[in-house]
Amino acid sequence: MRSVRLPRDRHLDSTLAFVREGYRFIGARCDHYRCDAFQTRLLLQRTVCLRGRDAARLFYDAERFERQGAMPRRVEATLQGVGGVQGLDGPPHRRRKAMLMSLMTPDSIESLVRQFEREWQAQLGRWERDRRVVLYDEVGRILCRAVHAWAGVPLPESDVRRRTDDLHAMIDGPAGVGPRYWRGRRARGRAEAWLAALVRQVRAGQLDTEPERPLRVVAEYRDQQNRLLPPRTAAVEMLNLLRPTVAVDRFVTFTALALHHHPEWRNLLRSGLAPAEPFVQEVRRYYPIVALLAARTRQSFDWHGFHFPRGRRVVLDLYGTNHHPDIWAEPDEFRPERFRHWSGDAYRFIPQGGADHHTGHRCAGERLTIELMKAALDALTTMAYDVPDQDLSVSLRRIPTLPRSGFVMSNVRPAG
């Protein structure tokens, strides 16, 4: 069969349109072209945009795609860092990913969740005394304390706010322009320098950490040539544990927003009549965090009659796939019951990537994210609070997004 050309976006370069439209940029064009693939230019590079289950299955085909050099430099300079597992392929990726997955055992995840719960409980008394609290700000600092303690990274209380702000700046920077981008870049530089120094201290025996702690595991990891990682690369991998964990504060804030907008679920969850996991999964599907992922074609090939040349950048729309009308019934409705009998399809539901956690590029900490959200959901449904008038709008133009107010709570108190 003769291949046909992909639909082409009419703009010479669509970067500004992407900045203006945010999460809906790819989906709107797929709807317009009535096709789950089209080509455009982003940051002056020819790019194929994809959404949907078949597209996700294609995107995670390691024979056809590679990750090295796929992400724009501005993403590496803020969010991902240079030399981390996200940009590796083949055996080096599998070996590095195995190291990270070794830190995501059920016991290790439970240890971090318990630390998170202790930190949450430690803040409740202050929340009850304060007139108002911003949940997003509070949970970010709670997660920052918890994940540093779990990882074996020393973090004095006086540094918690600064480290949390730096991690937030890295998460917020890639899609920003001007000051927002430069804050993320400077934050990454500071964090990598700090963690690289700690790695050197661990290797020199100057910083004592338990053998199973992530800081020691990463510091002592050796590649296929039995070489230690350069300290700066080890710092990047440490940030690949610390940064995504703190980013769960966005999911927790969206969890509170979902409870506020759907109060009937609070009693169901609190009484045990509804399990927590379907609610948490629907929060992950319905509310956007990561917008898209990027790869490059290893070779030329045809797919669904369309030709993909070698070396072409391809981006997968995570938000659009999680809201695809051919995959999800009433995708713009919040319906946790859709996950009661969830099959676990690795390409249909991809808020943190698709395919296999152990061998593919799916987020290593996805199960940790789910368990932290379940712990936060339990805490939110077993405490009482008021939600004063505020701007709870969620802009789909801004990446990453968040309720505009950060979700303000007042009159926090024990549940009656």
Side-chain angles (χ1 to χ4, degrees):
M1 179 184 295
R2 184 179 179 182
S3 61
V4 296
R5 301 184 74 178
L6 285 161
R8 184 185 297 275
D9 196 19
R10 61 183 176 84
H11 295 93
L12 180 63
D13 185 273
S14 296
T15 304
L16 290 178
F18 173 71
V19 171
R20 287 195 305 268
E21 298 174 35
Y23 291 95
R24 294 196 185 277
F25 169 79
I26 295 177
R29 282 155 182 76
C30 286
D31 290 343
H32 175 73
Y33 297 123
R34 298 183 181 180
C35 181
D36 281 340
F38 67 92
Q39 54 185 326
T40 187
R41 286 181 183 268
L42 292 174
L43 295 174
L44 302 179
Q45 286 198 27
R46 291 183 179 179
T47 303
V48 175
C49 300
L50 302 173
R51 72 167 181 179
R53 185 182 184 279
D54 288 350
R57 185 176 289 278
L58 171 70
F59 184 81
Y60 285 99
D61 183 343
E63 297 298 317
R64 290 177 167 176
F65 289 93
E66 61 187 4
R67 297 308 190 269
Q68 187 172 6
M71 274 295 186
R73 181 70 180 86
R74 64 187 291 112
V75 177
E76 291 184 336
T78 53
L79 185 70
Q80 289 188 350
V82 176
V85 68
Q86 300 99 327
L88 301 178
D89 297 290
H93 171 262
R94 289 193 293 273
R95 185 176 178 89
R96 189 86 63 85
K97 187 67 175 292
M99 180 266 290
L100 294 175
M101 290 302 298
S102 74
L103 302 171
M104 296 296 155
T105 64
D107 286 346
S108 182
I109 290 173
E110 182 179 6
S111 174
L112 178 47
V113 172
R114 297 290 87 79
Q115 184 70 36
F116 170 68
E117 290 173 335
R118 288 192 291 270
E119 296 290 350
W120 184 295
Q121 289 297 318
Q123 301 305 313
L124 272 179
R126 179 175 59 80
W127 293 358
E128 291 173 13
R129 294 190 299 272
D130 288 350
R131 185 174 64 85
R132 62 194 293 276
V133 295
V134 180
L135 184 65
Y136 171 68
D137 296 340
E138 296 290 337
V139 174
R141 292 190 282 270
I142 287 172
L143 284 164
C144 188
R145 294 185 189 95
V147 72
H148 282 77
W150 169 81
V153 177
L155 183 66
E157 181 61 28
S158 58
D159 287 348
V160 168
R161 186 181 294 268
R162 177 164 60 102
R163 297 299 178 194
T164 306
D165 289 347
D166 275 353
L167 292 166
H168 279 164
M170 286 178 235
I171 296 161
D172 203 43
V177 294
R180 181 177 157 197
Y181 167 72
W182 286 106
R183 278 195 299 270
R185 187 161 183 161
R186 288 193 296 269
R188 174 160 282 279
R190 285 192 296 268
E192 285 186 7
W194 171 58
L195 288 164
L198 293 181
V199 167
R200 294 188 188 96
Q201 291 175 32
V202 170
R203 292 173 178 175
Q206 298 169 347
L207 179 61
D208 187 27
T209 59
E210 299 171 12
E212 70 277 8
R213 295 292 183 184
L215 178 58
R216 181 169 292 278
V217 171
V218 172
E220 295 179 349
Y221 167 82
R222 292 180 180 270
D223 66 14
Q224 290 178 292
Q225 287 74 45
N226 199 37
R227 299 172 301 192
L228 293 169
L229 294 176
R232 199 83 179 203
T233 305
V236 169
E237 298 299 15
M238 284 304 303
L239 284 170
N240 280 334
L241 296 167
L242 303 176
R243 171 185 45 76
T245 304
V246 169
V248 175
D249 58 4
R250 292 178 181 268
F251 275 133
V252 172
T253 305
F254 283 131
T255 299
L257 183 64
L259 285 172
H260 178 63
H261 286 323
H262 307 277
E264 69 276 11
W265 282 93
R266 177 178 291 276
N267 288 334
L268 291 173
L269 290 159
R270 186 177 177 185
S271 64
L273 294 175
E277 185 144 336
F279 189 91
V280 161
Q281 295 287 50
E282 181 68 349
V283 169
R284 296 173 67 230
R285 185 201 69 83
Y286 183 81
Y287 295 102
I289 301 290
V290 181
L292 51 82
L293 298 171
R296 285 195 185 277
T297 54
R298 287 181 178 272
Q299 57 188 326
S300 298
F301 62 87
D302 290 345
W303 175 78
H304 287 358
F306 297 122
H307 182 67
F308 287 67
R310 181 182 177 184
R312 182 60 46 87
R313 176 184 284 166
V314 176
V315 298
L316 177 65
D317 181 6
L318 303 192
Y319 177 80
T321 299
N322 291 332
H323 287 76
H324 199 300
D326 293 343
I327 299 175
W328 306 96
E330 300 181 82
D332 294 325
E333 296 293 325
F334 185 83
R335 290 173 45 190
E337 60 271 17
R338 72 176 85 236
F339 285 99
R340 281 189 179 272
H341 304 290
W342 171 239
S343 65
D345 189 316
Y347 302 100
R348 178 181 164 195
F349 178 46
I350 54 171
Q352 292 173 262
D356 182 73
H357 293 92
H358 291 272
T359 60
H361 282 82
R362 190 168 188 145
C363 176
E366 185 168 18
R367 175 44 60 178
L368 173 60
T369 298
I370 293 167
E371 295 303 322
L372 286 168
M373 290 177 68
K374 286 162 65 176
L377 179 62
D378 181 69
L380 288 166
T381 55
T382 53
M383 57 187 271
Y385 53 86
D386 298 330
V387 180
D389 289 341
Q390 60 191 282
D391 187 352
L392 290 172
S393 62
V394 177
S395 172
L396 292 179
R397 294 182 176 182
R398 193 187 195 284
I399 301 175
T401 193
L402 192 71
R404 193 174 298 277
S405 65
F407 200 87
V408 178
M409 304 186 303
S410 62
N411 192 26
V412 175
R413 57 201 183 276

